[in-house]
């Protein structure tokens, strides 16, 4: 939310990938937030970030690319694990600083072996204390996939 | 993804909201990313940010609070529009820098009147050019709700 012009006004009726990319609201690191959602069962798989190149590559190849903030480089999701994300539909939000990628996820999104990175639930225990519990569905052994 | 300890290891088996909050990976502005998802139909409603206070308030009251980056202050979602988000379940991701809030959304999430902020689809037209199309479901008139 903000007083400035919204994403869709910035795009207008002009076609083209550059128009869309120019209309996004990049943060000070040149990134937008990307939410990956399973296109089939609608589970939210995780949150990552993309720069301009990552979005271009995702649209061109149909495979999700991100910008890895820890490794500071372009990252083809699944390049190491084989757990690619096939882009089914790309959505942009009202102010243009977040994308929703509806994907077909090979195996799992999370590097810890969970189908979704959102593997931990915050809930009140019977004692009244808040607790974090692992509730994620583990679908692979990271030691076998990443060898660590 | 990063080499450092994961969220769940930082929490360990210790109960309490402060433990959970201390284990989150706050960005340089003291925020984490929050994805709001309709708990019923699983539609992704939007992305916002929360500071420590916003998360505490959300857990205490059961109503989603965020940190408004544009207004630089705590923001009870729906405080102006009446479109509150009732927190059904809170999830944390593997590295602890993103939350997934499964919510019961009153009316709509988007200030433009759409049920979800992700109202725009990026898709290839028959001409081969990429185009942005409004596909969101409009459920209220922002002029009537916000008077602007």
């Amino acid at each position: 939310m903000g007083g400035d012009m919204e994403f869709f006004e910035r795009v207008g009726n002009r076609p083209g990938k550059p128009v869309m990319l120019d209309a996004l609201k990049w943060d000070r690191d040149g990134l937008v937030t990307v939410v990956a959602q399973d296109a089939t069962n609608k589970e939210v798989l995780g949150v990552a970030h993309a720069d301009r190149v990552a979005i271009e590559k995702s649209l061109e190849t149909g495979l999700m690319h991100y910008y890895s903030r820890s490794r500071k480089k372009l990252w083809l999701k699944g390049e190491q694990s084989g757990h690619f994300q096939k882009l089914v539909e790309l959505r942009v939000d009202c102010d243009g600083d977040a994308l929703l990628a509806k994907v077909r996820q090979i195996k799992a999104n999370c590097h810890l072996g969970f189908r979704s990175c959102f593997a931990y639930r915050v809930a009140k225990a019977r004692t009244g204390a808040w607790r974090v519990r692992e509730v994620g569905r583990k679908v692979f052994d990271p030691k076998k996939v990443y060898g660590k």
Side-chain angles (χ1 to χ4, degrees), chain A:
Chain A
M1 309 229 311
D4 45 355
M5 208 164 60
E6 310 289 348
F7 168 73
F8 199 58
E9 295 175 59
R10 295 195 293 270
V11 171
N13 199 30
R14 298 173 297 151
K17 214 160 36 182
V19 170
M20 188 271 288
L21 292 166
D22 288 346
L24 291 177
K25 209 161 123 190
W26 305 96
D27 71 10
R28 58 194 141 164
D29 298 318
L31 303 175
V32 290
T33 304
V34 185
V35 179
Q37 182 183 31
D38 187 313
T40 310
N41 71 8
K42 296 180 137 188
E43 184 178 23
V44 175
L45 298 167
V47 168
H49 294 82
D51 62 359
R52 195 174 170 111
V53 173
I55 298 173
E56 281 175 338
K57 291 270 181 197
S58 300
L59 289 173
E60 280 162 19
T61 64
L63 292 176
M64 287 307 295
H65 290 67
Y66 297 105
Y67 179 82
S68 167
R69 293 184 302 175
S70 53
R71 287 176 287 148
K72 294 185 175 39
K73 60 173 192 148
L74 184 71
W75 160 38
L76 164 60
K77 173 75 192 168
E79 61 192 1
Q80 203 189 339
S81 60
H83 302 162
F84 299 102
Q85 288 179 336
K86 294 181 189 170
L87 180 59
V88 174
E89 186 185 334
L90 189 66
R91 294 278 190 109
V92 185
D93 78 344
C94 49
D95 49 11
D97 62 357
L99 303 179
L100 173 64
K102 302 187 185 191
V103 301
R104 269 200 201 95
Q105 173 72 58
I106 307 296
K107 195 77 141 185
N109 183 54
C110 184
H111 69 295
L112 297 180
F114 299 106
R115 174 76 184 170
S116 160
C117 289
F118 290 103
Y120 308 105
R121 179 187 290 153
V122 181
K124 225 172 198 166
R126 264 170 296 180
T127 59
W130 291 93
R131 274 206 168 272
V132 177
R133 295 205 186 281
E134 185 185 304
V135 294
R137 188 157 51 101
K138 210 135 195 178
V139 294
F140 74 88
D141 179 353
K143 284 198 196 88
K144 282 187 188 150
V145 170
Y146 297 104
K148 61 180 182 190

